Amino acid sequence: MRLEIGDWTISNLQSPINFLSITATAPGKVILFGEHAVVYGQPAIAIPVSQVRARATVVAGPQMGVRLVAPDLGVEKLLFEEDRDDALATAVYLVKAATNLTHLPDMTITVSSDIPIASGLGSGAAIAAAAIRAVTQFVGYGHLLSNEWVSAMTYEVEKIHHGTPSGIDNTVVTYEQPVYFVRQQPYNRIETFSVAKPLTLLVADTGVRSSTREVVGDVRRQWEADPARFETLFAACGRIAVAARQAIEQGATAQLGKLMQENQAVLQEMTVSSPELERLVAAALAAGAVGAKLSGAGRGGNMIALLADGEDEGGKTAVSQALIAAGAKNVLTTVLQ
Ligand code: PMV
């Protein structure tokens, strides 16, 4: 639509919301059980980490085209439809395609996030989900914004980060609920589950950045070289995830801790642990955690430690301090309830 007033031409006045600023957010996430095996159709469990979030704000103009500003990363650039390798450009132009708009209004998208990047906390998926929500609302198609739709769009963006994503990251950061997830055709199995007793988890960052795409690619190469061995490892992760869901539903915290140890042992066999992760896992267990394992792609990033039932602040502080002493760069607490 064009509005001509005397000498002035205001173009791109597609919607009154062009004069507004639209902000959307999405949380971080941790995988509790089943990373890697989930890519091969085994069940996995993941939960949102709501206290760390990605944010996207969209305002009209001021330049022609779509501009991305990411102050934390020192990035300021125009996003073009041809930028197929750029996650944010892909997110924005997926919205254009899904809404059948012939062109997008001029806009500036500012993104920020307190989710550490490349550390298994789902920062890429969360930034994409927030941007997809904000841009879709901004162009006047907010009615499309079901969780299912945002998750499917975010999955397309995840392919740029991950190559062959299972779909668990986009699901958890979009629905912002704990999920039991199985990658399958034609539709993934996505189930919520009950939590009998609150579970307190510490999430500790090794400070080592790791590329999910590379680690997932390396697991794939190992699987191709020795399919029988890797199928056995993946199936073991699947059984552990099924048992873990039952333990969560029954409030069997000590059993859940043991299952974390078992899952960590299988992840070691897959060669996705690292000396830094092992140090943090050992320190958490020595300080009283009932279970600890890496979370996400591994070879860096974050690990999780489960506290015993009824652990007081003192117990939590002891595990947290042990993690810091063992090299953790940051420790977050999240409660599954
Ligand atoms: O993004 P990360 O580091 O949480 O890793 C994703 C988990 C994997 O299972 C390793 C890959 C996937 O797509 O599920």
Side-chain angles (χ1 to χ4, degrees), residues 29 31 34-39 119-122 158 162 164-169 212 216 295-298:
K29 70 101 213 335
I31 295 181
E35 47 276 273
H36 289 292
V38 67
V39 176
S119 64
L121 291 187
E158 281 283 278
H162 285 199
T164 55
S166 63
I168 194 168
D169 280 21
T212 298
V216 169
S295 174

mmCIF file of all heavy atoms in Angstrom, residues 29 31 34-39 119-122 158 162 164-169 212 216 295-298, ligand 1:
data_model
loop_
_atom_site.group_PDB
_atom_site.id
_atom_site.type_symbol
_atom_site.label_atom_id
_atom_site.label_comp_id
_atom_site.label_asym_id
_atom_site.label_seq_id
_atom_site.Cartn_x
_atom_site.Cartn_y
_atom_site.Cartn_z
ATOM 1 N N LYS A 29 17.666 -24.247 26.717
ATOM 2 C CA LYS A 29 17.202 -25.607 27.018
ATOM 3 C C LYS A 29 18.397 -26.482 27.430
ATOM 4 O O LYS A 29 19.543 -26.160 27.125
ATOM 5 C CB LYS A 29 16.498 -26.230 25.798
ATOM 6 C CG LYS A 29 17.462 -26.558 24.633
ATOM 7 C CD LYS A 29 17.811 -27.998 24.576
ATOM 8 C CE LYS A 29 19.137 -28.417 24.106
ATOM 9 N NZ LYS A 29 20.060 -27.863 23.291
ATOM 10 N N ILE A 31 19.320 -30.812 27.396
ATOM 11 C CA ILE A 31 18.889 -32.185 27.148
ATOM 12 C C ILE A 31 19.263 -32.996 28.396
ATOM 13 O O ILE A 31 20.416 -32.970 28.828
ATOM 14 C CB ILE A 31 19.570 -32.760 25.889
ATOM 15 C CG1 ILE A 31 19.105 -31.963 24.653
ATOM 16 C CG2 ILE A 31 19.241 -34.252 25.731
ATOM 17 C CD1 ILE A 31 19.670 -32.432 23.337
ATOM 18 N N GLY A 34 19.525 -38.702 26.249
ATOM 19 C CA GLY A 34 19.298 -39.163 24.883
ATOM 20 C C GLY A 34 19.892 -38.334 23.757
ATOM 21 O O GLY A 34 19.573 -38.583 22.590
ATOM 22 N N GLU A 35 20.787 -37.364 24.067
ATOM 23 C CA GLU A 35 21.413 -36.611 22.973
ATOM 24 C C GLU A 35 22.151 -37.570 22.031
ATOM 25 O O GLU A 35 22.576 -38.648 22.445
ATOM 26 C CB GLU A 35 22.374 -35.502 23.458
ATOM 27 C CG GLU A 35 23.361 -35.875 24.527
ATOM 28 C CD GLU A 35 22.745 -35.766 25.906
ATOM 29 O OE1 GLU A 35 22.761 -34.677 26.498
ATOM 30 O OE2 GLU A 35 22.268 -36.816 26.370
ATOM 31 N N HIS A 36 22.300 -37.178 20.817
ATOM 32 C CA HIS A 36 22.898 -37.959 19.716
ATOM 33 C C HIS A 36 22.009 -39.130 19.296
ATOM 34 O O HIS A 36 21.614 -39.206 18.136
ATOM 35 C CB HIS A 36 24.325 -38.438 20.036
ATOM 36 C CG HIS A 36 25.302 -37.305 20.032
ATOM 37 N ND1 HIS A 36 25.630 -36.631 18.881
ATOM 38 C CD2 HIS A 36 25.977 -36.698 21.037
ATOM 39 C CE1 HIS A 36 26.489 -35.664 19.178
ATOM 40 N NE2 HIS A 36 26.704 -35.678 20.475
ATOM 41 N N ALA A 37 21.664 -40.029 20.251
ATOM 42 C CA ALA A 37 20.815 -41.164 19.878
ATOM 43 C C ALA A 37 19.477 -40.664 19.320
ATOM 44 O O ALA A 37 18.869 -41.316 18.466
ATOM 45 C CB ALA A 37 20.585 -42.052 21.094
ATOM 46 N N VAL A 38 19.040 -39.472 19.781
ATOM 47 C CA VAL A 38 17.755 -38.913 19.330
ATOM 48 C C VAL A 38 17.758 -38.640 17.822
ATOM 49 O O VAL A 38 16.724 -38.728 17.157
ATOM 50 C CB VAL A 38 17.412 -37.626 20.147
ATOM 51 C CG1 VAL A 38 18.371 -36.486 19.857
ATOM 52 C CG2 VAL A 38 15.977 -37.185 19.907
ATOM 53 N N VAL A 39 18.939 -38.351 17.274
ATOM 54 C CA VAL A 39 19.046 -38.109 15.828
ATOM 55 C C VAL A 39 18.678 -39.386 15.062
ATOM 56 O O VAL A 39 18.200 -39.348 13.935
ATOM 57 C CB VAL A 39 20.478 -37.637 15.470
ATOM 58 C CG1 VAL A 39 20.659 -37.479 13.968
ATOM 59 C CG2 VAL A 39 20.827 -36.335 16.204
ATOM 60 N N SER A 119 27.135 -23.954 23.201
ATOM 61 C CA SER A 119 27.411 -24.624 24.470
ATOM 62 C C SER A 119 26.307 -25.594 24.867
ATOM 63 O O SER A 119 26.197 -25.965 26.023
ATOM 64 C CB SER A 119 27.610 -23.577 25.556
ATOM 65 O OG SER A 119 26.409 -22.864 25.720
ATOM 66 N N GLY A 120 25.460 -25.979 23.897
ATOM 67 C CA GLY A 120 24.450 -26.996 24.181
ATOM 68 C C GLY A 120 23.214 -26.470 24.869
ATOM 69 O O GLY A 120 22.378 -27.251 25.313
ATOM 70 N N LEU A 121 23.076 -25.149 24.957
ATOM 71 C CA LEU A 121 21.886 -24.605 25.632
ATOM 72 C C LEU A 121 20.839 -24.100 24.635
ATOM 73 O O LEU A 121 19.893 -23.410 25.014
ATOM 74 C CB LEU A 121 22.280 -23.484 26.602
ATOM 75 C CG LEU A 121 23.069 -23.919 27.837
ATOM 76 C CD1 LEU A 121 23.257 -22.755 28.799
ATOM 77 C CD2 LEU A 121 22.386 -25.058 28.572
ATOM 78 N N GLY A 122 21.031 -24.419 23.375
ATOM 79 C CA GLY A 122 19.982 -24.124 22.396
ATOM 80 C C GLY A 122 19.910 -22.678 21.965
ATOM 81 O O GLY A 122 18.846 -22.207 21.542
ATOM 82 N N GLU A 158 17.395 -24.507 12.030
ATOM 83 C CA GLU A 158 18.337 -25.375 12.743
ATOM 84 C C GLU A 158 19.197 -26.194 11.781
ATOM 85 O O GLU A 158 20.327 -26.558 12.101
ATOM 86 C CB GLU A 158 17.569 -26.331 13.668
ATOM 87 C CG GLU A 158 17.113 -25.688 14.954
ATOM 88 C CD GLU A 158 18.272 -25.544 15.916
ATOM 89 O OE1 GLU A 158 18.604 -26.509 16.595
ATOM 90 O OE2 GLU A 158 18.849 -24.435 15.965
ATOM 91 N N HIS A 162 23.038 -27.242 12.287
ATOM 92 C CA HIS A 162 23.265 -28.630 12.695
ATOM 93 C C HIS A 162 23.445 -29.623 11.569
ATOM 94 O O HIS A 162 23.908 -30.721 11.820
ATOM 95 C CB HIS A 162 22.069 -29.123 13.525
ATOM 96 C CG HIS A 162 22.044 -28.586 14.919
ATOM 97 N ND1 HIS A 162 21.329 -29.165 15.918
ATOM 98 C CD2 HIS A 162 22.653 -27.535 15.470
ATOM 99 C CE1 HIS A 162 21.493 -28.480 17.034
ATOM 100 N NE2 HIS A 162 22.294 -27.481 16.779
ATOM 101 N N THR A 164 21.858 -32.188 10.374
ATOM 102 C CA THR A 164 20.749 -33.155 10.505
ATOM 103 C C THR A 164 20.154 -33.080 11.911
ATOM 104 O O THR A 164 20.299 -34.013 12.694
ATOM 105 C CB THR A 164 21.251 -34.592 10.286
ATOM 106 O OG1 THR A 164 22.345 -34.821 11.212
ATOM 107 C CG2 THR A 164 21.701 -34.834 8.878
ATOM 108 N N PRO A 165 19.497 -31.982 12.245
ATOM 109 C CA PRO A 165 18.972 -31.864 13.609
ATOM 110 C C PRO A 165 17.853 -32.862 13.863
ATOM 111 O O PRO A 165 17.098 -33.199 12.956
ATOM 112 C CB PRO A 165 18.434 -30.432 13.666
ATOM 113 C CG PRO A 165 18.187 -30.044 12.253
ATOM 114 C CD PRO A 165 19.144 -30.834 11.407
ATOM 115 N N SER A 166 17.755 -33.309 15.109
ATOM 116 C CA SER A 166 16.676 -34.251 15.452
ATOM 117 C C SER A 166 15.336 -33.535 15.544
ATOM 118 O O SER A 166 14.295 -34.146 15.366
ATOM 119 C CB SER A 166 16.988 -34.905 16.796
ATOM 120 O OG SER A 166 17.018 -33.919 17.810
ATOM 121 N N GLY A 167 15.370 -32.248 15.889
ATOM 122 C CA GLY A 167 14.120 -31.511 16.099
ATOM 123 C C GLY A 167 13.825 -31.257 17.563
ATOM 124 O O GLY A 167 12.868 -30.570 17.909
ATOM 125 N N ILE A 168 14.656 -31.787 18.461
ATOM 126 C CA ILE A 168 14.348 -31.632 19.894
ATOM 127 C C ILE A 168 14.581 -30.197 20.365
ATOM 128 O O ILE A 168 13.799 -29.665 21.150
ATOM 129 C CB ILE A 168 15.133 -32.677 20.747
ATOM 130 C CG1 ILE A 168 14.541 -32.737 22.158
ATOM 131 C CG2 ILE A 168 16.624 -32.405 20.750
ATOM 132 C CD1 ILE A 168 15.027 -33.924 22.983
ATOM 133 N N ASP A 169 15.642 -29.541 19.859
ATOM 134 C CA ASP A 169 15.943 -28.176 20.318
ATOM 135 C C ASP A 169 14.810 -27.217 19.978
ATOM 136 O O ASP A 169 14.319 -26.478 20.840
ATOM 137 C CB ASP A 169 17.234 -27.655 19.667
ATOM 138 C CG ASP A 169 18.490 -28.183 20.342
ATOM 139 O OD1 ASP A 169 18.394 -29.215 21.019
ATOM 140 O OD2 ASP A 169 19.550 -27.556 20.181
ATOM 141 N N THR A 212 28.093 -28.146 17.259
ATOM 142 C CA THR A 212 27.156 -29.274 17.219
ATOM 143 C C THR A 212 27.248 -29.984 15.876
ATOM 144 O O THR A 212 27.262 -31.214 15.802
ATOM 145 C CB THR A 212 25.719 -28.768 17.451
ATOM 146 O OG1 THR A 212 25.666 -28.190 18.752
ATOM 147 C CG2 THR A 212 24.694 -29.885 17.375
ATOM 148 N N VAL A 216 28.064 -33.879 15.741
ATOM 149 C CA VAL A 216 27.022 -34.757 15.175
ATOM 150 C C VAL A 216 27.558 -35.446 13.914
ATOM 151 O O VAL A 216 27.341 -36.640 13.698
ATOM 152 C CB VAL A 216 25.732 -33.949 14.877
ATOM 153 C CG1 VAL A 216 24.735 -34.762 14.060
ATOM 154 C CG2 VAL A 216 25.066 -33.509 16.184
ATOM 155 N N SER A 295 25.587 -32.511 28.514
ATOM 156 C CA SER A 295 24.264 -32.224 27.963
ATOM 157 C C SER A 295 24.432 -31.564 26.599
ATOM 158 O O SER A 295 25.176 -30.593 26.465
ATOM 159 C CB SER A 295 23.504 -31.280 28.897
ATOM 160 O OG SER A 295 22.280 -30.896 28.315
ATOM 161 N N GLY A 296 23.768 -32.133 25.583
ATOM 162 C CA GLY A 296 23.886 -31.561 24.237
ATOM 163 C C GLY A 296 24.928 -32.323 23.437
ATOM 164 O O GLY A 296 25.198 -33.499 23.694
ATOM 165 N N ALA A 297 25.527 -31.632 22.491
ATOM 166 C CA ALA A 297 26.430 -32.309 21.560
ATOM 167 C C ALA A 297 27.698 -32.835 22.225
ATOM 168 O O ALA A 297 28.278 -33.828 21.807
ATOM 169 C CB ALA A 297 26.793 -31.372 20.418
ATOM 170 N N GLY A 298 28.186 -32.151 23.276
ATOM 171 C CA GLY A 298 29.390 -32.600 23.980
ATOM 172 C C GLY A 298 30.675 -32.044 23.401
ATOM 173 O O GLY A 298 30.660 -31.099 22.609
HETATM 174 O O1 PMV B 1 22.562 -28.092 20.273
HETATM 175 P P1 PMV B 1 23.062 -29.072 21.258
HETATM 176 O O2 PMV B 1 24.489 -28.991 21.599
HETATM 177 O O3 PMV B 1 22.165 -29.184 22.444
HETATM 178 O O4 PMV B 1 22.982 -30.530 20.559
HETATM 179 C C1 PMV B 1 21.822 -31.021 20.082
HETATM 180 C C2 PMV B 1 21.636 -32.414 20.526
HETATM 181 C C3 PMV B 1 22.049 -33.497 19.560
HETATM 182 O O5 PMV B 1 21.288 -34.649 19.938
HETATM 183 C C4 PMV B 1 23.517 -33.812 19.698
HETATM 184 C C5 PMV B 1 21.744 -33.152 18.114
HETATM 185 C C6 PMV B 1 20.264 -33.080 17.791
HETATM 186 O O6 PMV B 1 19.939 -32.511 16.740
HETATM 187 O O7 PMV B 1 19.422 -33.597 18.549
#
